[in-house]
Amino acid sequence: MTDENTAPDGGLSAEAQAVVDEIEEKDVDFLRLQFTDILGTVKNVAVPATQAEKAFTEGIYFDGSSIEGFVRIQESDMRLTPDPSTFAILPWRDGRSARLICDVINTSTGEPFEGDPRTILKGAIERAEEMGYQVNAAPEPEFFLFEEDEEGRATTKTNDAGGYFDLAPKDLASDVRRDIIYGLEQMGFEIEASHHEVAQGQHEINFEYDDALTTADNVGTFRTVVRAIAAQHDLHATFMPKPIPRINGSGMHTHISLFTEDGENAFHDDDDEFNLSDTAHSFLAGILEHAPALAAVTNPTVNSYKRLVPGYEAPVYIAWSDRNRSALIRKPAARVPAASRIEARFPDPSCNPYLAFAALIHAGLDGIDKGLEAPDPVRENIYEFDEEKREEYGIETLPSNLGEAITALESDEVVQDALGEHVYEKFVEAKSQEYDEFRIDVSQWELDQYLEKF
């Protein structure tokens, strides 16, 4: 039995019953029970809506050996436990389908599965709560919209020539963004702003911050909604970090703050030059300390490191600033104390949000535990520093490729512990294989450069 969804008398909990009632009232036909693999890919099991009560009380079983990074075939039975707070009707399915995000239960122990990314993030949140903090997060996932060819396959041809904050006629995707926003709002999002980004075909839609678990759920939902509604416009939406060379790539700048149990922002201090508390300084120092290993999780693809190069607004230097955006972490301006936060600018939208947030939280909390002191902020444009000046400031760089990031992760016990033994081993195995496949491949660039030359 799934205790959190059942009442003491064996019936449904009030929250689960409310979902069942809404399913009946809104004539929902199918439920999509969603979870993610360790790479962040959303998986789902579709069941008739008539199975909703059974899903809450008994769970839905599936073969975990078929999911990336889960279990071997001899230990494959897994159970999905829906979280009733995540119920939402899918706006592109004529209101007849809905989704529930699930936790994965190991049927052999009856406990949350140690390979479930959502469970990993819950562990990070629990650690923060034990220290007296609630973690809030607000990511900014950027994406590209590309045209499709005659067979419906994605191209890298953008459908507009717009730039940062441009309007029509250059920004031809404003109607697409509008429809995406409508879809997100129907699924419970509070949208703050949307605009065209710097690169042609690149866009950003910002949604309201929330607790870390809800926000991670929202990132997965956001990517799904963007892709589905773009497809209705015969466009392909991609969160690939760098789909086009020599232009800006897509990041997922992530704003983080800690609040105390009495609702005060633990990151704010009126007396500090930057209005950041000692807690905030130590938290950001922890992220800087573990940044090379964090990159394996927050920037987890071969392509991620095509974005992390100087000159295209992506941070590569391990430093922080209250002004410029060339540093790894920025302290954004805050109108009120509750808005004091830090912004990690290096993550990208190809990451698994559950694992990325968990790793960032653990790294920051490690900084608090150890009382780490943040270095002085760098207010100059670090992109203009030569190597000698970077050494003078003590500024190091992120790994230059996925292989270096994996090596950094293999020597960082804090980030390893953040992932847990199971996920860490499976993650490194999958990413090492990805990087090896990339290394032995011969690219078109190499053929163009060398085939006729040698």
Side-chain angles (χ1 to χ4, degrees):
M1 295 289 284
T2 55
D3 295 340
E4 62 270 28
N5 289 330
T6 55
D9 63 1
L12 290 178
S13 67
E15 195 171 19
Q17 185 61 56
V19 170
V20 172
D21 292 343
E22 187 171 356
I23 287 170
E24 295 175 355
E25 291 168 7
K26 297 187 175 177
D27 200 23
V28 171
D29 285 338
F30 278 91
L31 288 176
R32 295 183 178 272
L33 305 181
Q34 296 181 347
F35 62 103
T36 67
D37 64 18
I38 66 167
L39 303 183
T41 303
V42 175
K43 305 291 186 178
N44 83 98
V45 175
V47 299
T50 54
Q51 297 295 305
E53 185 168 344
K54 178 183 177 182
F56 282 126
T57 57
E58 300 178 23
I60 298 296
Y61 290 77
F62 72 101
D63 178 7
S65 67
S66 300
I67 305 301
E68 180 74 55
F70 271 30
V71 291
R72 297 168 296 179
I73 194 166
Q74 66 265 32
E75 50 192 21
S76 59
D77 285 344
M78 294 280 139
R79 187 176 77 231
L80 295 177
T81 300
D83 180 343
S85 70
T86 65
F87 177 78
I89 293 175
L90 302 177
W92 62 89
R93 296 281 182 177
D94 298 323
R96 304 301 296 276
S97 294
R99 76 93 204 267
L100 283 159
I101 297 174
C102 300
D103 294 310
V104 181
I105 304 299
N106 185 335
T107 56
S108 63
T109 64
E111 298 295 324
F113 174 47
E114 60 182 356
D116 177 18
R118 200 168 189 258
T119 294
I120 298 299
L121 177 55
K122 284 185 173 183
I125 292 168
E126 287 174 7
R127 180 185 175 193
E129 289 173 346
E130 289 170 0
M131 297 172 66
Y133 303 118
Q134 173 187 307
V135 185
N136 290 333
E140 300 172 352
E142 297 167 339
F143 59 94
F144 280 85
L145 291 176
F146 292 125
E147 294 184 359
E148 297 179 340
D149 64 18
E150 294 178 354
E151 297 180 0
R153 294 178 300 191
T155 71
T156 54
K157 181 180 179 182
T158 63
N159 77 320
D160 67 51
Y164 197 61
F165 273 46
D166 272 351
L167 299 172
K170 286 188 175 181
D171 177 12
L172 300 178
S174 56
D175 288 348
V176 186
R177 289 202 307 274
R178 177 201 62 204
D179 290 348
I180 291 170
I181 289 170
Y182 288 159
L184 290 168
E185 288 178 336
Q186 288 178 51
M187 295 193 72
F189 281 67
E190 291 186 34
I191 303 301
E192 290 187 332
S194 75
H195 59 87
H196 200 291
E197 260 297 341
V198 174
Q200 293 182 10
Q202 188 182 34
H203 307 273
E204 181 178 313
I205 299 173
N206 299 331
F207 49 91
E208 186 81 8
Y209 80 91
D210 214 318
D211 67 88
L213 183 64
T214 300
T215 300
D217 288 340
N218 284 343
V219 171
T221 301
F222 180 86
R223 293 192 294 213
T224 301
V225 172
V226 168
R227 290 193 189 104
I229 294 181
Q232 292 180 340
H233 290 262
D234 297 320
L235 295 171
H236 177 77
T238 182
F239 293 89
M240 180 180 177
K242 189 87 165 188
I244 302 176
R246 300 178 185 85
I247 66 172
N248 286 19
S250 291
M252 191 178 79
H253 306 156
T254 300
H255 299 251
I256 304 173
S257 60
L258 300 181
F259 276 70
T260 62
E261 294 172 350
D262 57 5
E264 296 295 320
N265 188 345
F267 275 8
H268 184 78
D269 184 351
D270 280 327
D271 297 327
D272 181 70
E273 179 182 359
F274 312 106
N275 293 134
L276 288 177
S277 67
D278 290 343
T279 298
H281 281 284
S282 291
F283 191 93
L284 76 84
I287 292 179
L288 295 177
E289 174 84 9
H290 298 287
L294 287 171
V297 185
T298 59
N299 307 83
T301 68
V302 163
N303 184 253
S304 296
Y305 297 85
K306 303 294 179 73
R307 166 182 169 256
L308 293 175
V309 293
Y312 297 99
E313 294 195 8
V316 296
Y317 301 115
I318 301 175
W320 77 282
S321 178
D322 63 320
R323 292 183 180 175
N324 74 75
R325 288 170 162 79
S326 63
L328 207 68
I329 296 177
R330 186 174 73 96
K331 193 277 177 185
R335 295 183 302 273
V336 294
S340 288
R341 63 198 186 279
I342 63 169
E343 175 192 16
R345 295 182 55 79
F346 58 105
D348 72 50
S350 71
C351 71
N352 182 327
Y354 300 103
L355 300 185
F357 291 174
L360 287 165
I361 291 166
H362 276 285
L365 295 179
D366 183 62
I368 295 174
D369 269 344
K370 293 177 179 175
L372 297 182
E373 294 185 8
D376 292 334
V378 180
R379 291 176 164 177
E380 300 99 318
N381 184 352
I382 309 175
Y383 294 141
E384 298 176 355
F385 287 12
D386 57 22
E387 186 174 352
E388 183 178 349
K389 191 167 185 179
R390 288 199 301 272
E391 288 180 359
E392 177 187 337
Y393 277 68
I395 298 173
E396 298 182 359
T397 62
L398 285 177
S400 62
N401 57 58
L402 181 59
E404 291 181 5
I406 293 168
T407 298
L409 175 58
E410 289 175 329
S411 63
D412 191 313
E413 292 184 0
V414 169
V415 182
Q416 292 176 25
D417 290 345
L419 300 178
E421 182 179 358
H422 180 99
V423 169
Y424 165 68
E425 291 179 356
K426 297 294 185 181
F427 184 85
V428 168
E429 179 183 340
K431 289 300 161 181
S432 295
Q433 180 180 346
E434 177 182 337
Y435 187 62
D436 286 344
E437 289 175 357
F438 168 70
R439 287 194 306 114
I440 64 176
D441 190 42
V442 178
S443 68
Q444 187 61 46
W445 183 90
E446 293 169 278
L447 294 175
D448 292 342
Q449 288 290 318
Y450 307 128
L451 187 61
E452 297 183 356
K453 183 181 292 186
F454 299 106

